[in-house]
Every structure is written in structure tokens, then in C-alpha cells.
């Protein structure tokens, strides 16, 4: 069990020796100091594998080794020497494993054999691949309606595996594709096309080297996309202005010591990152953005009247956009007192930021989960698009909108057809290439899939990676729904909660990881992935597989497809699995933008899927970029005065539901995760003292009690009216109904709660 419990302030910069030391310790913990280190050297190299960590791009995938603590941990986590074998499962009943923490479950190591749940002994027993596939085929074939099965994808899945998966599922007959993206950047995928005609970002890595100004909203790069720190550090040293909006003073947004810089490492110096870090209230970003735009349009009017100077890019606005008049009217009607109250920032602070943005010839607006995971996430994203449009910061060198994606291939999975809302055009091309009629009716996303499971309408769940059972909201009802399934299947590399909370029948199918050599009938194979900036490139595993019984994800999909569809399938499953080039040829036939796919990924660095918005071509209904309005300032509903807005965040030592340790170095928390970050004033106002233990109770009007217990109050510099805790510990507090109606993104960053003295403490008193 890692780390002694303590809370102490972290004084150093992010990165630096602390990062090297942390990675070294992690390698030792995974029993792989030497192998881990050589594996790391092959990460993100021209002929190596793509980092299974985040989706941040690499400088053309051609650079020398770029050190990243958390990328290193993600690789070491997969390359661990620990194994979770049939002997392990024989030694522990599932009931016993249910009492283990998430950290302990994954520390059992890499899964080595396909396993099937045996109710009589309450254990997972080894099963042959053929029998496992046959079980899946039997259940799926028995369903009266293919829409009674759910097919989840987590964003580590390669383009090749994802394409075969959507092919299998559509030939089977449903568009039920709940996806981790539904809990992540769906607000981008749904909100942005209405503004800009594309649901992806518009910048490339080079733009960071050319920009004058970077605004970062609700994203924690030092932890979740550390290679981005290289770009930020360079920009800062060039003199670009960086301004961040975050309720936390995230350390990497303040100062960063580059492990690549011999001088900074030797002299223990570091580079300041943000010139200003504004501690915005939880859910206060729209108020900030409207404030920024209000300053800009009013300043522009003044300058034009008094000096005939334009502060906005009117050539762009007139030539490329519609809706400016309504936006200006809305901003004029927005009062400063409301902006200040909602954002927690002063008018002067917002004015200063607005002037920095206006002054910049080229600016980039970056954002993450602090923007998307709110009740009006898609509309939040649109306000950031407005901010860019006012200054023509789309489709210009050194400028653009930059949503930072999460999982390393979540964007690619969407590109190759993992979507519950497929376009008619895409389905037509699929039919033309393969000759079966894919279903047209829209399928389930994560929220609607869970609703169908709760009602008992969905009976079979298949998960291509991930740990959905822990990642979702409202555990009380949603986890219970998993227990009532006829069959749950998870294609996984490690043991997790989704295997423990399972259907009446359950299968664990262990697969190769991205770091591992994938040999098929025609020889070793490469897969491809797409990063946050739409660069597509190859990834080739280098390590010996964790077990000889593992199959690749494409092979597992093909196995499920053959067992389910049998003779009725028109797809050449064997051929595809034998040679992934053929999968890419098929993708090229379905998606015109993949023209020359196999040749282009053989060029180091891969190729860019260009976005129309980057070319100032607007694929919207109006044919222009649209300024879209946000009604009022409330990202989340208005609640009573004493309600606190809880946001859920990642620690520095976790990858989503995977915990590398129980510590969070930069925020000064060690050996524990049951903490609530909250200001000393909010603690006192409620009659508590720092370190008191409290229960967190959701405020809702549906009569359901949602509570997590015994959290320690940690007095922290945090904005009024809000507090923060770790994901996934607080997921039981998020009502399933609390999601964005446009994108269905759960409101993980805006949970209304009250604090109650912890029962244990109340009894002792
Ligand atoms: N090491 C590591 N890397 C990862 C992941 C990981 O877990 N570990 N996860 C991957 C995935 S799937 C994703 S989606 C990304 C996630 O990467 P991020 O988007 O950085 O995710 P979070 O840590 O959830 O939250 C981001 C930031 O939002 C701030 N925040 C919270 N609420 C608000 C708000 O209302 N307004 C504003 N402005 N800020 C707010 C938090 O303080 C935090 O700094 O990272 C990916 N990369
Ligand atoms: N409260 C709260 N909840 C959240 C969030 C939040 O910020 N706050 N964030 C949301 C976001 S952004 C996301 S993306 C989701 C994440 O949800 P998921 O993507 O479902 O979860 P992960 O924790 O990334 O999944 C970890 C598991 O993936 C499996 N795995 C790892 N590598 C591979 C591989 O190569 N192949 C296969 N087949 N399996 C593999 C391992 O078995 C591991 O246990 O959570 C969401 N939930
Ligand atoms: Mo994510």
C-alpha cells in the first residue's frame, strides 16, 4: 500500500527532479526498472509505439525521447511484471475482490487468460477463447432485438480495432455505441459543429510556436497532458502571454521545470507559465467569457467612434460569420455585477485579460473538462468559439481553438465510426463497401444506454476497454443495472471494478496492449491512432506480450463477430485480422479523407486530417461561422445560498479510474483520496474546522439520497461557493439526470452538495 498519509504544501515547480523521481519509484513498484526504461525510449518514436497516456501530439513523432512523467507511468503500468493469473482468481472469490480498492485490483497485474464467471464457486474460471466467443454469440443471437445490447468503447482502442468493432456491431444490427467520449469531449463534438462546422480543434502543434497569447480554461496540462508543457514553456520563454482560468492554482500552470532542460535541471530554476492564473468559481467560465467579450465589443465601439480603430476583426466578422448583432445585444444586456458574482473574478481582472487577448495578433484558446462537464457543456464550448471568432482567431496561423482530448485515441475512434448518431452519408458508404444494410436508427450514448439498462431493456453489455462501471455517474442505480444484465463482457488489460460488478454471466477477455508486439498470420502488425490535433500515425508494439494467451483487439472483435453472425456475415474477418493493411484499405474505401492511408502512415509523423474550419470553410447550415448565444450566465442551475458546487478532478497519480498511488504531489496530498478541497471561509461558515470529517450529500429534488461518507475537510485556496474532490470517489453523487441535454455529458464538474458532519464523528461527539 503506497505512501503515508499527510497533507503538506508543495513548493517546487511542476516537472523537474520530482517528476523523474516519481517515475523511478513507479517503475520499481511495477517490478520493471530496466525493462520499463528501455520501453520508455521507444515511446512516440518514428518506429515505436504511441504513448497510451494522453492524446497530446508529438513533434512529428520524429523527435528524440521526450520525457513525460505521466506518459512514463502509463507505459510502465502496461509493461508491469505483475500478472493476474487463473491462480489469482482461484484464490479470491468475486465477493472478496469486491472489498478491494481500485488501486489493489489493478495492482494484481496484467490479465493473462480469458476468464468466465462461475456462479457456483463465485469465482472467475479460465475459459477457452472459442467457448468465450460462443457464449457471446449465443446471447447476442438470442436477443429479440439487437438494440437490447450495448457496445461500449474506451478511447485507447486503435483505429483498426474500432473500425472492425463498429462493422461487427452494425452488421449485427444496432447503433448502440456508448463511448467514453460521451463523458468527456462530447460537448465539443456536439457544440462546435453548430459554431464552426467541425467538432474538433483547429490548431496544430506548430501554432503554439507562433502564437502571441494562450488562454487555458479548465484544463490541467501538467498532470493530464504533460507533453503540452513543452509547448507552453517555449511559448512563455518567447514572451507569449499565457492566462489560465481554473478554481485551483494548478502548479504546472504557475511554474514548470523542464526535465529536458539541462540548465533548469542543474540550476534548479524553472519557467513561469501563466502570467495570470485566475481562480474562477466552479461553473463560472461562461461569466468570464461573456465578461471578456463584453469588454471587447465595448472597447471596439469606443475605439471606432473616437479613433476609427477596430479592436475586433471586422473583415473576418463580416466575411465569415453571422449573428454578431445578437451577440453584441446580449453582451450589452449582461450586467457586471452578475458577471462578478457568477465568475468570482473582479471586473478589473477580466478587463485586464480582455486587453491582453485583444492586443494579441494571434491567440489560442485551450480547454478541457472544466468546460465540457457541466449541465450546459456544449453551450459553454460555443462561447469559447465566439471568443475566437471576434478576433478572427480561427483559420489563422498561430491561432485557434484547442480542445484537449483525453484518451490517446478517443478522437480516432470517433473518426472511424464509433458513434451512436451516424450520418446517412457514412452509412451509405459502409453499405457500398460491404454490401449489408446498416441500421439507420440512432443508438444509445452512455446516459441513454444506462437508462435502458436500468429499465431492463438492455440485456447484454460489451466493453471494448475502459472501466465504465467506475467512470459513470449515480452508482447506486447504474451499478445495480450492471448486476442485472444477462451477460457482461470486458476486453481489458487489467482487473477493474467492471469485472467485479458484473452480469449473471460474465467474461473477461484479456488483450494485447499498445506497447506489445502484435503478430498475425502475415507477420507483425502496426495499428494507427489520431491525436488531439488530428494527426494520424502508426504505432508498433515492441515488448513481448504479457501472456501467450492474449489476443489483439482486432482479433477479439473478429472472434465475437464470427461467433455471433456466422454464415450471415459478409465481412472477410479472417483476412482483416491476418493483415491490418487490409483494414486500413477498407477504411479508406469508406472514408475519402483516408486516401492513401497505408502509404501515408509509413511516412514518419503520419498525416493530418485537415479540418474545414482551419481552411475557413464553414460546414454549417448558414455556410458561415455562427456566433451562438448563451442564455444568462448559469452553466449549472441556480441553487440555494448554502449549496456548494462540487467539482471532481484527477490527481497527479491516476489515469482515470486507474490509481497509480493514493497521492497527489502538486496539490500536497499524500496517501489518501477521501479529501474535500474547500476554502477556510466556507469551512468556518458551516460551523466546521479544518480536518473535520464530513459526509457529502447531493442536493436534488428527485427524492433519492446520494451520499459519500467521511471525507476530510482540507482548507485550501479555493473560490467561494465551491469545493473539489477526486474522481471517481464522488461519482455516486452525480444524478444520471444531471447532464447536458444537447451532448448528454454528465455534470461531473458541477455537483450541488451539502456537508453533514460525518456519522462516525457525530456519534463520537
Ligand atoms: N495522467 C493522466 N493523464 C490523463 C488522464 C488522467 O486521468 N491522468 N485522463 C485523460 C482523459 S480521458 C482526459 S478527458 C483528460 C482530462 O484532462 P483535464 O481536462 O485536465 O481533466 P480534469 O483533471 O478532470 O480537470 C481539468 C481541470 O479543470 C479544473 N476545473 C474543475 N472545474 C472547473 C470549472 O468549473 N471551471 C474551470 N475553468 N476549471 C475547472 C480542475 O481544477 C482541473 O485543473 O486527460 C487525459 N490524460
Ligand atoms: N466524476 C468524474 N467522472 C468521470 C470523469 C471526471 O472528470 N469526473 N471523466 C470522464 C472521462 S473524461 C472519461 S474519458 C471516462 C473514462 O472512462 P473509461 O475509459 O471507461 O475508463 P479508464 O479508467 O480509462 O479505463 C481503465 C481500464 O481500461 C483497460 N485498458 C487499459 N488499456 C487498455 C487497452 O489497451 N485495451 C483494452 N481493451 N483495455 C485497456 C484496463 O483494464 C483499465 O482497467 O471517465 C469519465 N468519468
Ligand atoms: Mo476523457
Amino acid at each position: 500500500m503506497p505512501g503515508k498519509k499527510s497533507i503538506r504544501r508543495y513548493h517546487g515547480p511542476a516537472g523537474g527532479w520530482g517528476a523523474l523521481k516519481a517515475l523511478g519509484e513507479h517503475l520499481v513498484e511495477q517490478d520493471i526498472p530496466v525493462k520499463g526504461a528501455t520501453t520508455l525510449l521507444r515511446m512516440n518514436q518514428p518506429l515505436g509505439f504511441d504513448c497510451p497516456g494522453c492524446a497530446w501530439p508529438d513533434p512529428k513523432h520524429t523527435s528524440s525521447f521526450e520525457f513525460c512523467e505521466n506518459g512514463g507511468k502509463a507505459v510502465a503500468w502496461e509493461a508491469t511484471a505483475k500478472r493476474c493469473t487463473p491462480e489469482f482468481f482461484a484464490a479470491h472469490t468475486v465477493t472478496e475482490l469486491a472489498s478491494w480498492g481500485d488501486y489493489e485490483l489493478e495492482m494484481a497485474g496484467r490479465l493473462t487468460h480469458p476468464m468466465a464467471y462461475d456462479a457456483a464457486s463465485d469465482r472467475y474460471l479460465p475459459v477457452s477463447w472459442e467457448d468465450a466467443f460462443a457464449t457471446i454469440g449465443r446471447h447476442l443471437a438470442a436477443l429479440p432485438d439487437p438494440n437490447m445490447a450495448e457496445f461500449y468503447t474506451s478511447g485507447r482502442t486503435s483505429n483498426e480495432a474500432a473500425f472492425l468493432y463498429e462493422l461487427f456491431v452494425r452488421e449485427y444490427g444496432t447503433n448502440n455505441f456508448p463511448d467514453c467520449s460521451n463523458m468527456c469531449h462530447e460537448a465539443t463534438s456536439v457544440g462546435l459543429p453548430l459554431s464552426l462546422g467541425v467538432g474538433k480543434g483547429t490548431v496544430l502543434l506548430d501554432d503554439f510556436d507562433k502564437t502571441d497569447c494562450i488562454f487555458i480554461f479548465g484544463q490541467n496540462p501538467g498532470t493530464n497532458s504533460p507533453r503540452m508543457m513543452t509547448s507552453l514553456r517555449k511559448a512563455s520563454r518567447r514572451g507569449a502571454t499565457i492566462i489560465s482560468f481554473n478554481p485551483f492554482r494548478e502548479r504546472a500552470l504557475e511554474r514548470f521545470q523542464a526535465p529536458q532542460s539541462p540548465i533548469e535541471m542543474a540550476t534548479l530554476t524553472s519557467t513561469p507559465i501563466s502570467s495570470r492564473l485566475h481562480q474562477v468559481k466552479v461553473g463560472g467560465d461562461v461569466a468570464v467569457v461573456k465578461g471578456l467579450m463584453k469588454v471587447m465589443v465595448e472597447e471596439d465601439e469606443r475605439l471606432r467612434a473616437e479613433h476609427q480603430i477596430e479592436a475586433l476583426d471586422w473583415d473576418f466578422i463580416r466575411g465569415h460569420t453571422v449573428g454578431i448583432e445578437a451577440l453584441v445585444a446580449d453582451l450589452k444586456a449582461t450586467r457586471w455585477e452578475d458577471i462578478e458574482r457568477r465568475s468570482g473574478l473582479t471586473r478589473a481582472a477580466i478587463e485586464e485579460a480582455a486587453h491582453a487577448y485583444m492586443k494579441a495578433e494571434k491567440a489560442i484558446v485551450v480547454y478541457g473538462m472544466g468546460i465540457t462537464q457541466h449541465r450546459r457543456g456544449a453551450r459553454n464550448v460555443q462561447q469559447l468559439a465566439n471568443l475566437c471568432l471576434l478576433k478572427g482567431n480561427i483559420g489563422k496561423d498561430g491561432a485557434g481553438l484547442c480542445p484537449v482530448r483525453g484518451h490517446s485515441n478517443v478522437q480516432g475512434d470517433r473518426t472511424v465510426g464509433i458513434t451512436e448518431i451516424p450520418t446517412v452519408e457514412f452509412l451509405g458508404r459502409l453499405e457500398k463497401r460491404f454490401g449489408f444494410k446498416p441500421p439507420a436508427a440512432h443508438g444509445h450514448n452512455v446516459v441513454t444506454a444506462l437508462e435502458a439498462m436500468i429499465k431492463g431493456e438492455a440485456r447484454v453489455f460489451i466493453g471494448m476497454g475502459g472501466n465504465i462501471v467506475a467512470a459513470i455517474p449515480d452508482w447506486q442505480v447504474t451499478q445495480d443495472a450492471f448486476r442485472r444484465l444477462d451477460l457482461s463482457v470486458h476486453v481489458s488489460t487489467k482487473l477493474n471494478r467492471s469485472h467485479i460488478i458484473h452480469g449473471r454471466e460474465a467474461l473477461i477477455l484479456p488483450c494485447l496492449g499498445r506497447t506489445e508486439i502484435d503478430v498475425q498470420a502475415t507477420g507483425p502488425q502496426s495499428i494507427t491512432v489520431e491525436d488531439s490535433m488530428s494527426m494520424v500515425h502508426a504505432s508498433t508494439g515492441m515488448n513481448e506480450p504479457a501472456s501467450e494467451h492474449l489476443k489483439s483487439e482486432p482479433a477479439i472483435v473478429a472472434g465475437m463477430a464470427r461467433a455471433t453472425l456466422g454464415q450471415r456475415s459478409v465481412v472477410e474477418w479472417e483476412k482483416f485480422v491476418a493483415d491490418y493493411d487490409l483494414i486500413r484499405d477498407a477504411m479508406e474505401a469508406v472514408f475519402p479523407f483516408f486516401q492513401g492511408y497505408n502509404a501515408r502512415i509509413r511516412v514518419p509523423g503520419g498525416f493530418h486530417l485537415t479540418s474545414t474550419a482551419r481552411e475557413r470553410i464553414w460546414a454549417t447550415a448558414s455556410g458561415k461561422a455562427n456566433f451562438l448565444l448563451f442564455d444568462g450566465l448559469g452553466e449549472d442551475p441556480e441553487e440555494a445560498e448554502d449549496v456548494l458546487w462540487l467539482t471532481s478532478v484527477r490527481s497527479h497519480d491516476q489515469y482515470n479510474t486507474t490509481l497509480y498511488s493514493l497521492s497527489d504531489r502538486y496539490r500536497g496530498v499524500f496517501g489518501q483520496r477521501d479529501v474535500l478541497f474547500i476554502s477556510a471561509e466556507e469551512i468556518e461558515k458551516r460551523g466546521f474546522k479544518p480536518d473535520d470529517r464530513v459526509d457529502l450529500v447531493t442536493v436534488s429534488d428527485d427524492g433519492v439520497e446520494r451520499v459519500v461518507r467521511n471525507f476530510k475537510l482540507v482548507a485550501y485556496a479555493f473560490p467561494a461557493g465551491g469545493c473539489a474532490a477526486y474522481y471517481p470517489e464522488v461519482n455516486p453523487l452525480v444524478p444520471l439526470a444531471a447532464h447536458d441535454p444537447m451532448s448528454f455529458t454528465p455534470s461531473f464538474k458541477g455537483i450541488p452538495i451539502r456537508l453533514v458532519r460525518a456519522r462516525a464523528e457525530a456519534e463520537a461527539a
Side-chain angles (χ1 to χ4, degrees):
M1 195 61 212
K4 258 181 54 190
K5 282 193 187 187
S6 71
I7 307 270
R8 44 179 202 268
R9 268 193 72 183
Y10 181 86
H11 292 285
W17 292 106
L20 287 177
K21 178 163 166 275
L23 178 57
E25 285 167 2
H26 188 72
L27 293 177
V28 172
E29 199 168 350
Q30 300 296 340
D31 289 342
I32 45 160
V34 179
K35 181 181 168 203
T38 46
T39 302
L40 293 185
L41 292 170
R42 285 167 178 160
M43 177 163 72
N44 297 337
Q45 297 303 301
L47 298 173
F49 55 86
D50 181 71
C51 179
C54 72
W56 190 257
D58 259 279
K60 303 208 165 51
H61 262 250
T62 51
S63 75
S64 59
F65 175 59
E66 188 171 19
F67 171 82
C68 162
E69 176 192 346
N70 280 349
K73 285 185 204 153
V75 169
W77 175 91
E78 187 174 295
T80 179
K82 297 179 195 293
R83 294 290 177 271
C84 184
T85 60
E87 292 72 44
F88 170 92
F89 286 106
H92 307 286
T93 63
V94 173
T95 306
E96 183 204 333
L97 293 173
S99 70
W100 291 25
D102 294 318
Y103 173 80
E104 286 81 11
L105 289 177
E106 292 212 356
M107 275 302 276
R110 287 288 300 276
L111 296 158
T112 60
H113 290 68
M115 306 295 293
Y117 181 68
D118 171 52
S121 64
D122 185 31
R123 282 182 173 80
Y124 275 100
L125 304 179
V127 61
S128 71
W129 280 104
E130 283 322 305
D131 287 351
F133 292 144
T135 301
I136 295 168
R138 176 165 50 79
H139 275 275
L140 289 178
L143 290 179
D145 177 350
N147 296 310
M148 293 172 75
E150 305 292 349
F151 297 87
Y152 179 69
T153 316
S154 167
R156 229 175 249 197
T157 297
S158 64
N159 282 357
E160 290 71 13
F163 182 73
L164 289 192
Y165 191 47
E166 66 83 23
L167 202 55
F168 155 48
V169 172
R170 293 202 163 97
E171 194 179 18
Y172 171 62
T174 179
N175 284 310
N176 283 350
F177 286 107
D179 182 273
C180 76
S181 176
N182 296 140
M183 301 184 271
C184 185
H185 262 294
E186 192 72 358
T188 300
S189 309
V190 170
L192 223 45
L194 299 172
S195 292
L196 306 179
V198 291
K200 302 179 180 182
T202 72
V203 297
L204 283 173
L205 204 49
D206 291 350
D207 291 314
F208 278 81
D209 296 334
K210 299 176 189 157
T211 193
D212 308 316
C213 177
I214 303 169
F215 272 35
I216 306 175
F217 288 91
Q219 194 241 346
N220 187 13
T223 289
N224 295 323
S225 44
R227 281 176 291 114
M228 178 175 166
M229 295 311 300
T230 306
S231 300
L232 293 180
R233 177 178 171 274
K234 273 200 289 183
S236 166
R237 292 176 87 86
R238 268 195 307 110
T241 306
I242 303 178
I243 298 181
S244 308
F245 298 89
N246 198 305
F248 273 108
R249 295 198 69 83
E250 303 287 21
R251 183 33 55 110
L253 293 173
E254 295 187 304
R255 304 196 67 78
F256 183 67
Q257 184 178 66
Q260 283 89 346
S261 159
I263 296 179
E264 286 189 355
M265 292 296 273
T267 57
L268 298 184
T269 50
S270 58
T271 303
I273 299 298
S274 305
S275 52
R276 285 278 187 280
L277 199 167
H278 295 294
Q279 288 190 270
V280 61
K281 278 186 177 177
V282 169
D285 298 272
V286 164
V288 173
V289 178
K290 280 206 182 182
L292 294 169
M293 294 192 295
K294 184 176 170 72
V295 175
M296 289 165 65
V297 299
E298 289 175 356
E299 181 68 3
D300 176 72
E301 276 188 6
R302 189 184 68 80
L303 285 173
R304 279 192 296 151
E306 293 174 13
H307 307 283
Q308 288 82 51
I309 297 174
E310 292 179 350
L312 306 181
D313 186 342
W314 280 102
D315 281 348
F316 177 83
I317 294 172
R318 287 196 201 94
H320 289 281
T321 72
V322 291
I324 183 71
E325 297 79 10
L327 179 73
V328 170
D330 177 59
L331 294 172
K332 286 192 171 166
T334 309
R335 298 179 315 172
W336 274 109
E337 57 193 276
D338 294 328
I339 292 174
E340 291 188 319
R341 179 175 57 86
R342 277 284 186 170
S343 67
L345 305 185
T346 62
R347 176 173 176 175
I350 294 174
E351 281 174 347
E352 189 198 61
H355 281 277
Y357 181 79
M358 264 187 297
K359 209 175 75 190
E361 193 65 29
K362 306 162 242 170
I364 294 178
V365 175
V366 178
Y367 66 95
M369 298 296 103
I371 291 295
T372 60
Q373 293 175 334
H374 284 281
R375 221 79 69 96
R376 298 171 77 185
R379 297 208 184 276
N380 291 1
V381 169
Q382 294 172 345
Q383 295 311 297
L384 295 180
N386 287 351
L387 182 63
C388 290
L389 294 175
L390 284 178
K391 284 281 293 172
N393 275 324
I394 302 281
K396 170 163 90 184
D397 252 13
L401 193 54
C402 178
V404 183
R405 297 274 164 177
H407 267 298
S408 50
N409 196 41
V410 62
Q411 191 162 314
D413 291 346
R414 289 305 216 187
T415 300
V416 304
I418 302 292
T419 173
E420 71 281 11
I421 40 177
T423 61
V424 175
E425 195 221 338
F426 159 61
L427 294 177
R429 297 187 74 97
L430 204 61
E431 179 174 359
K432 185 153 165 259
R433 165 63 180 81
F434 288 99
F436 68 87
K437 186 132 198 88
H442 286 178
H444 292 153
N445 54 41
V446 166
V447 168
T448 51
L450 291 171
E451 286 169 349
M453 288 164 56
I454 290 167
K455 284 190 252 165
E457 290 167 7
R459 306 302 317 156
V460 174
F461 180 95
I462 297 184
M464 183 54 62
N467 181 12
I468 186 167
V469 160
I472 48 179
D474 229 351
W475 284 0
Q476 225 170 292
V477 283
T478 55
Q479 294 193 341
D480 186 54
F482 275 88
R483 293 195 184 91
R484 290 187 283 113
L485 290 168
D486 295 337
L487 175 70
S488 60
V489 179
H490 294 279
V491 179
S492 311
T493 53
K494 293 237 183 131
L495 185 62
N496 65 39
R497 195 64 54 197
S498 300
H499 308 130
I500 306 303
I501 295 175
H502 58 77
R504 276 210 298 276
E505 284 188 69
L507 295 166
I508 303 175
L509 305 181
C511 66
L512 292 172
R514 200 179 287 169
T515 59
E516 291 167 330
I517 301 167
D518 179 357
V519 181
Q520 303 295 344
T522 61
Q525 305 296 317
S526 298
I527 52 105
T528 56
V529 294
E530 174 183 338
D531 67 31
S532 228
M533 292 176 187
S534 311
M535 293 294 303
V536 181
H537 52 78
S539 168
T540 314
M542 300 285 189
N543 288 343
E544 279 304 314
S547 149
E548 59 181 326
H549 306 288
L550 303 184
K551 280 189 189 291
S552 74
E553 289 181 343
I556 294 173
V557 174
M560 294 196 286
R562 279 191 308 250
T564 306
L565 306 170
Q567 294 306 318
R568 101 170 146 96
S569 179
V570 296
V571 177
E572 320 83 317
W573 299 106
E574 283 82 4
K575 276 207 223 149
F576 280 147
V577 175
D579 183 355
Y580 297 179
D581 274 358
L582 300 182
I583 310 180
R584 287 183 282 270
D585 286 342
M587 283 194 264
E588 183 177 333
V590 175
F591 304 103
F593 49 77
F594 276 140
Q595 201 182 26
Y597 203 162
N598 275 307
R600 283 155 93 200
I601 56 147
R602 283 171 167 81
V603 179
F607 61 98
H608 183 231
L609 292 179
T610 193
S611 105
T612 44
R614 209 181 144 78
E615 322 276 326
R616 295 193 167 175
I617 297 165
W618 313 104
T620 58
S622 67
K624 300 268 171 135
N626 294 309
F627 284 107
L628 297 173
L629 296 190
F630 187 104
D631 182 22
L633 296 173
E635 296 176 37
D636 307 286
E638 195 88 57
E639 290 283 355
E641 265 292 297
D642 65 326
V643 168
L644 276 168
W645 285 97
L646 169 71
T647 187
S648 59
V649 296
R650 294 158 165 81
S651 80
H652 189 63
D653 243 7
Q654 77 181 81
Y655 194 95
N656 298 338
T657 68
T658 293
L659 307 182
Y660 299 135
S661 84
L662 303 186
S663 297
D664 190 6
R665 191 164 83 244
Y666 299 147
R667 297 200 189 101
V669 176
F670 298 88
Q672 55 197 319
R673 289 175 56 90
D674 49 354
V675 295
L676 187 74
F677 300 95
I678 178 170
S679 72
E681 295 75 43
E682 292 290 354
I683 294 178
E684 201 195 312
K685 215 159 83 184
R686 290 173 169 70
F688 297 112
K689 289 192 297 306
D691 297 344
D692 277 358
R693 292 272 171 184
V694 295
D695 294 343
L696 319 185
V697 185
T698 304
V699 176
S700 70
D701 51 16
D702 61 0
V704 178
E705 189 193 43
R706 296 180 183 84
V707 57
V708 295
R709 297 196 189 279
N710 226 24
F711 276 56
K712 181 156 84 186
L713 295 175
V714 176
Y716 221 79
F718 204 86
C723 55
Y726 293 120
Y727 146 54
E729 280 81 349
V730 294
N731 283 38
L733 296 178
V734 186
L736 186 58
H739 59 257
D740 175 12
M742 283 173 72
S743 68
F744 287 80
T745 311
S747 173
F748 292 129
K749 297 281 192 278
I751 315 163
I753 61 162
R754 286 204 171 86
L755 307 183
V756 179
R757 191 168 296 280
R759 208 156 49 185
E761 238 177 56
E763 277 163 15

